[in-house]
Each structure stands twice: as C-alpha cells, then as structure tokens.
Amino acid sequence: MQENLVNMPRTKRGRATLNNILSAAAQVIYEKGYHEASISDITRLAGVATGTFYVYFDGKYSLYKYLLLQCSHKIRSYLSRSIESCTTRLEVERVGMKAWLEFVMENQYMYHIIWESMYVDYHLFEQYYVTFAAAYKKGLDKAKEAGDVGDVDTEVLAYTLMGATNFLGLNWGLFRTDPSQIDYVVDHFVRILEGKAFPASARPENPAPLNKPLPHEPRFKFRVTVDDEPEDEDE
C-alpha cells in the first residue's frame, strides 16, 4: 500500500530528502492543519524545490496518508517493543501506558496527524481506530483465554483502554509536558484498572447480570424524536 503512496528512493541522498519532506509536512500540518498547509509551505521548510516534492508524491493527500500510516506503524512498533518482557496483562497495560506517555511527549505532532484524518477523509479516521482496536482486542482475547482478563467483552475493553490511552496522552503528553508526572499518572491509571476508583461499599450487593451483546448493525443509523411539548411559535 505504501508503494502506491510514495515513490521510495533508492539512494541514501534520496531518502534524506524524503525524510526532510516528511519532517516538514509533519511540522506544517501540526502548526496549520491539513487544509491550510500547502505544498509550497512544506517544500520551503524542507529546503527543496516544488518539483522535487512530486518526485516522491503525486499530491498532498498521498503525503498525508503516508504520514498517517507511518504514525500507526511507529506507535505499534514502539509499544510492542516496550511490552516484550511483560508477563501479565495488567503489566502490559501499565508498561504500555508509561511508554505511550513518553512517546507522545517526543512526538506530539502525531496527535495532529491522526485526528486531522477526521476532517481529511473520515474513512481514514474510522479505519485507523477500527484497525487499532482489532489488534488490541486480539491481545486481550489471548489474555482472556489465559485467565488474565475477567468476564468482560474484550471489544468494549479494547475501546475503553484506548479511550484512556488517548485522553491521558492528550492531557499529560500534549497539554502538559512534564515527564515527572508520568509515573504518578500511570500509578493512578493502574489503580483504576484494579477497581480502586469506586469503593466496595458503593457497589450494589446484587449487580445486574450482563446484557447480551448488542447487534453490530443497529436498526436505525440515527434516532430522532419530536418534543412532547413543542414551544408555541410566534404568529
């Protein structure tokens, strides 16, 4: 797929030029957003001629999509390496969260690249998170089979943990960039996973049974209802 997006150079000099274009694109999109970023902005910062840009990409969209794929690859590779020695799923979540917060602080532009996809091409945005969740669920399924995850829907759990990762990273990796806070945040994240957010005394003695899984396709895509008591319109 990447070969269709980029004309990959065969020389060391060509690869260096491509890396400069990608670095410039990440910075310009970070500062201006995809739609306001121009190819001339990118080539000017990269220190190359506009024609050189088209040696590698056929347009801004291909460049953006390639950057998005690179973000996904770099994130997954980094997190996979960070959890290689973990022996329990809880340890995976702890180590993975710490690695993620450290990674975000060093690569803040990735949030902009990833979330920008919602407005560039919604399908890319959906595909990014659905694919990520499927891989996350696969790991949780293995942990569940090993008795390391309780009686919960692993797809729901995958999106829950992804949500925590996303927004903790947003606040402590993007809004705040204080590395000294990472261990504190991770410790409290793990306390939540261990069930310490809500005291046992506040839990019902006879919890309701788990509902059956919802069907994947809802009957209606949207549900719109009228007001029971509409306001009187001025005549």
Side-chain angles (χ1 to χ4, degrees):
M1 182 182 293
Q2 293 188 6
E3 287 78 4
N4 297 328
L5 298 173
V6 60
N7 181 20
M8 192 62 67
R10 297 181 179 180
T11 66
K12 185 176 180 180
R13 181 178 179 182
R15 188 172 290 272
T17 300
L18 174 60
N19 289 339
N20 287 342
I21 292 172
L22 293 172
S23 299
Q27 182 173 331
V28 173
I29 293 173
Y30 175 85
E31 294 173 349
K32 293 187 174 185
Y34 173 83
H35 292 291
E36 294 299 320
S38 68
I39 291 176
S40 61
D41 290 331
I42 294 169
T43 54
R44 188 181 308 113
L45 182 59
V48 300
T50 302
T52 303
F53 176 92
Y54 290 101
V55 170
Y56 301 95
F57 300 100
D58 62 13
K60 187 170 69 170
Y61 179 78
S62 293
L63 165 64
Y64 171 77
K65 191 173 181 181
Y66 182 73
L67 270 176
L68 183 63
L69 289 172
Q70 286 292 297
C71 288
S72 178
H73 173 72
K74 289 179 182 298
I75 290 169
R76 292 188 192 192
S77 296
Y78 184 85
L79 294 180
S80 293
R81 291 195 302 271
S82 72
I83 63 173
E84 282 179 345
S85 62
C86 295
T87 57
T88 68
R89 189 66 208 191
L90 186 61
E91 186 182 7
V92 165
E93 299 303 330
R94 169 189 278 277
V95 173
M97 178 62 77
K98 182 173 182 179
W100 170 246
L101 294 177
E102 293 171 342
F103 183 80
V104 170
M105 288 187 185
E106 295 296 324
N107 301 276
Q108 293 183 340
Y109 74 92
M110 288 194 179
Y111 262 103
H112 294 253
I113 299 296
I114 295 167
W115 283 34
E116 191 87 11
S117 63
M118 182 186 293
Y119 308 104
V120 176
D121 182 342
Y122 187 81
H123 176 68
L124 291 179
F125 180 76
E126 178 183 10
Q127 184 181 48
Y128 178 88
Y129 280 108
V130 168
T131 301
F132 206 103
Y136 211 143
K137 181 181 183 301
K138 187 175 180 180
L140 292 171
D141 285 338
K142 290 181 179 179
K144 189 173 183 177
E145 291 174 4
D148 215 12
V149 170
D151 184 20
V152 295
D153 185 301
T154 52
E155 183 177 17
V156 174
L157 181 57
Y159 276 98
T160 299
L161 293 171
M162 284 169 56
T165 301
N166 229 329
F167 284 96
L168 291 177
L170 198 64
N171 191 43
W172 277 278
L174 198 63
F175 300 160
R176 312 179 191 183
T177 53
D178 182 1
S180 68
Q181 290 282 305
I182 290 180
D183 286 334
Y184 175 85
V185 173
V186 172
D187 285 344
H188 281 267
F189 168 68
V190 172
R191 285 173 62 83
I192 292 170
L193 296 187
E194 292 174 334
K196 296 177 182 177
F198 306 102
S201 59
R203 301 172 189 166
E205 293 183 4
N206 298 307
L210 293 174
N211 294 325
K212 294 181 180 179
L214 293 173
H216 287 290
E217 294 296 332
R219 182 178 178 185
F220 301 106
K221 186 172 184 180
F222 301 105
R223 181 65 175 171
V224 181
T225 60
V226 298
D227 294 333
D228 292 333
E229 297 181 359
E231 296 180 1
D232 293 332
E233 295 182 0
D234 294 334
E235 297 183 356

